[in-house]
Amino acid sequence: MVAKRKIAVFASGYGSNFEAIARAAQSGEIPAEVVLLVCDKKSARACDIANELGIESFIFTAKEYNSKQEYESAIVEQCKARGVEMICLAGYMRIVGKVLLERYAERIINIHPSLLPSFKGAHAIQDAVDYGVKIFGATTHFVDETLDGGRIIDQGAIVYEGNDIEELTNLIHKIEHNLYVKTINKLINKKF
């Protein structure tokens, strides 16, 4: 049996991927424990989910710090205090900088609602629809200093020919939730 790994999840908003990861950990679907939510928005629903699930949170406001290096150093201290071994970005709307990348090299992963390298950025689903794409999906990848960059780990896809953004977004979220849990298991079992 694989020992439980300690994970921090970073989120900025609604928190559906955070919740999927946390519930998978609590049910034993992944051999991990989510020990920390890092959030840069005090009003984010992800904070409420963390509270409901008994997960500690570090909530910060970037402009309260003098630099990205300063708030990332504070995040690293929070992670170190809890023995965090892996970081999962789940709708975290900031590009990760050098401080976190050096401390957690090849141990920070992200999920993005497109088949990367296509449609990077915050409006990936709408951008793909506007372009006329018929195959949509999600990608898990290692994080580097670029926007939605880094080596791809896994992808999941669906064919969708409708034009209902809400329906499509919900379908992609289902792919994301399953894909993220699958990716975490894959990395843990490789003993990252």
Side-chain angles (χ1 to χ4, degrees):
M1 184 173 151
V2 178
K4 284 190 173 190
R5 298 300 181 107
K6 293 184 177 183
I7 295 176
V9 180
F10 290 25
S12 295
Y14 192 72
S16 68
N17 278 305
F18 163 59
E19 184 172 12
I21 293 166
R23 290 196 185 281
Q26 289 182 345
S27 73
E29 189 177 349
I30 54 176
E33 178 184 3
V34 177
V35 295
L36 181 66
L37 168 70
V38 173
C39 186
D40 62 339
K41 303 266 191 275
K42 292 177 181 171
S43 62
R45 181 178 169 268
C47 299
D48 296 331
I49 293 168
N51 191 44
E52 289 169 24
L53 296 177
I55 297 169
E56 291 184 64
S57 297
F58 175 64
I59 304 165
F60 73 98
T61 303
K63 58 185 159 188
E64 292 174 358
Y65 293 87
N66 293 319
S67 66
K68 177 183 265 197
Q69 291 81 8
E70 192 176 294
Y71 73 71
E72 284 199 347
S73 293
I75 293 169
V76 166
E77 288 307 310
Q78 293 289 324
C79 290
K80 279 172 48 179
R82 292 165 181 84
V84 168
E85 301 167 86
M86 174 190 266
I87 294 172
C88 299
L89 307 184
Y92 183 65
M93 302 307 287
R94 296 187 173 280
I95 294 175
V96 174
K98 194 172 190 170
V99 172
L100 279 163
L101 288 171
E102 285 179 358
R103 175 71 171 106
Y104 290 97
E106 291 289 307
R107 293 184 293 147
I108 303 175
I109 60 175
N110 185 40
I111 193 149
H112 184 72
S114 78
L115 297 173
L116 290 174
S118 298
F119 307 107
K120 296 179 178 186
H123 308 288
I125 297 171
Q126 185 65 56
D127 291 347
V129 167
D130 292 347
Y131 199 77
V133 167
K134 302 299 180 218
I135 299 175
F136 297 85
T139 303
T140 52
H141 63 95
F142 289 104
V143 173
D144 63 18
E145 287 186 17
T146 63
L147 177 66
D148 298 318
R151 186 166 46 96
I152 291 172
I153 302 167
D154 206 349
Q155 294 180 309
I158 57 164
V159 173
Y160 182 79
E161 298 190 32
N163 60 4
D164 184 332
I165 290 292
E166 187 176 334
E167 178 184 43
L168 176 58
T169 299
N170 288 334
L171 291 170
I172 291 172
H173 281 318
K174 287 179 184 173
I175 292 171
E176 287 179 329
H177 299 164
N178 293 326
L179 183 64
Y180 222 156
V181 169
K182 178 183 165 192
T183 296
I184 292 167
N185 269 319
K186 182 186 287 189
L187 294 176
I188 288 174
N189 289 326
K190 280 187 170 181
K191 299 184 179 182
F192 61 89

